[in-house]
Amino acid sequence: MKKLLTILMISLFAVATCCYAADKQKVLRVGTEGAFAPFEFIDEKGQITGFDVDLIRALAEQAGYKADVQVMGFDALIPAVKTKILDCAIAGMTITEERKKVVLFTDSYYDAGLYVLVRKDNNDIKGYQDLDGKRIACQIGTTGENKSRAVPGARVTSYNTNVEACMELVAKGVDAVINDAPVVAFYLKSDAGKNCKIVGDLLEAEQYGIAIHKDNPKLVKELNKALSVLRKNGTYNKIFNKWFN
Ligand code: GLN
């Protein structure tokens, strides 16, 4: 009888450890885009990196997951969340009423907005109000695209990435780019952005959130809890300072 009990206890213990280990291995399938520095971009080694990537890895770990980060086009992210190819998407994604109809969002983790970017030698465009009839480049499926298409008489071209939109500006194919403020500010500090400037004020007050399937409020809760822990224990600030100095 005693022997039987021991065997029973050992097997119970084994099952428990096994479940615990399996639980620790829970993978969080994360989607992001690859050309939105400093939030997400491909580094010299071909690895995806950036503020969002560090943040989601830390959030996942805090919530008991291991993040598996996959790169795709920005406009593919919400469809991939909707079809459950991804558990969540983090890509400097603005929380909008439109998107809230199809996905859930975590609490906001970053305050952003939009800027108008022009070439340095352009003295004609002093802000959003001067874009009427101009050629504007933007990134497909973004809030910057919505803002561009709201300009009366503008000729708007959408590109797959913000990098391509900026290249078109430098090549004089367009007069302006409308894109996220922190990304524009980062671009100006790079070599590629040395001939460009921001004009006008910050347009829109936008907040970034992590998009999650409507069926999965549990994950929203887990990531929100993890975010509040990382904000309190200094990890959020550490990641923030690494990318925004
Ligand atoms: N914040 C913008 C949006 O959500 C752009 C995001 C992006 O291009 N990665 O539409």
Side-chain angles (χ1 to χ4, degrees), residues 2-15:
K2 220 174 171 185
K3 201 171 162 193
L4 196 69
L5 205 69
T6 320
I7 291 172
L8 194 72
M9 275 176 71
I10 289 174
S11 28
L12 264 177
F13 181 73
V15 168

Side-chain angles (χ1 to χ4, degrees), residues 148-217:
S148 302
R149 299 208 178 269
V151 177
R155 278 167 292 159
V156 179
T157 316
S158 304
Y159 292 85
N160 283 326
T161 65
N162 152 64
V163 172
E164 289 160 90
C166 290
M167 272 163 62
E168 197 58 17
L169 175 67
V170 174
K172 307 195 177 174
V174 293
D175 307 304
V177 165
I178 301 183
N179 190 30
D180 291 41
V183 172
V184 170
F186 191 83
Y187 174 73
L188 284 186
K189 284 193 252 159
S190 74
D191 222 37
K194 63 180 185 299
N195 294 322
C196 298
K197 65 180 178 186
I198 292 165
V199 287
D201 299 327
L202 184 71
L203 309 167
E204 313 289 321
E206 299 193 351
Q207 297 190 308
Y208 294 163
I210 303 165
I212 294 169
H213 196 281
K214 285 254 184 192
D215 285 355
N216 202 356

Side-chain angles (χ1 to χ4, degrees), residues 33 36 40 74 91-94 99 139 141-144 179-180 206 208:
E33 70 148 306
F36 204 61
E40 41 268 331
F74 181 74
M93 190 182 286
T94 305
R99 290 173 181 155
Q139 184 185 355
T142 63
T143 49
N179 190 30
D180 291 41
E206 299 193 351
Y208 294 163

Side-chain angles (χ1 to χ4, degrees), residues 30-218:
V30 180
T32 192
E33 70 148 306
F36 204 61
F39 293 93
E40 41 268 331
F41 60 101
I42 309 290
D43 70 12
E44 320 78 57
K45 293 184 208 119
Q47 306 289 331
I48 184 74
T49 188
F51 174 80
D52 282 349
V53 178
D54 283 351
L55 183 65
I56 196 66
R57 288 198 174 125
L59 287 172
E61 196 188 327
Q62 178 63 39
Y65 296 91
K66 184 164 171 24
D68 172 25
V69 182
Q70 305 169 30
V71 176
M72 53 187 79
F74 181 74
D75 58 335
L77 291 171
I78 287 186
V81 168
K82 265 174 68 182
T83 51
K84 300 190 178 175
I85 289 169
L86 298 173
D87 297 313
C88 64
I90 185 165
M93 190 182 286
T94 305
I95 302 169
T96 67
E97 290 309 314
E98 205 52 36
R99 290 173 181 155
K100 270 160 67 180
K101 288 181 195 154
V102 289
V103 288
L104 300 173
F105 277 103
T106 60
D107 294 337
S108 148
Y109 66 87
Y110 194 97
D111 289 333
L114 301 172
Y115 271 142
V116 176
L117 184 73
V118 298
R119 283 183 304 280
K120 256 187 191 154
D121 59 11
N122 186 325
N123 297 312
D124 189 26
I125 302 171
K126 297 195 169 56
Y128 185 74
Q129 72 285 352
D130 300 326
L131 291 174
D132 192 348
K134 296 285 192 282
R135 299 167 304 167
I136 311 174
C138 56
Q139 184 185 355
I140 196 159
T142 63
T143 49
E145 179 176 38
N146 293 342
K147 197 75 186 167
S148 302
R149 299 208 178 269
V151 177
R155 278 167 292 159
V156 179
T157 316
S158 304
Y159 292 85
N160 283 326
T161 65
N162 152 64
V163 172
E164 289 160 90
C166 290
M167 272 163 62
E168 197 58 17
L169 175 67
V170 174
K172 307 195 177 174
V174 293
D175 307 304
V177 165
I178 301 183
N179 190 30
D180 291 41
V183 172
V184 170
F186 191 83
Y187 174 73
L188 284 186
K189 284 193 252 159
S190 74
D191 222 37
K194 63 180 185 299
N195 294 322
C196 298
K197 65 180 178 186
I198 292 165
V199 287
D201 299 327
L202 184 71
L203 309 167
E204 313 289 321
E206 299 193 351
Q207 297 190 308
Y208 294 163
I210 303 165
I212 294 169
H213 196 281
K214 285 254 184 192
D215 285 355
N216 202 356
K218 176 175 168 272

Side-chain angles (χ1 to χ4, degrees), residues 213-230:
H213 196 281
K214 285 254 184 192
D215 285 355
N216 202 356
K218 176 175 168 272
L219 183 60
V220 176
K221 252 189 167 164
E222 289 173 332
L223 293 184
N224 280 344
K225 192 168 161 227
L227 180 62
S228 104
V229 172
L230 298 193

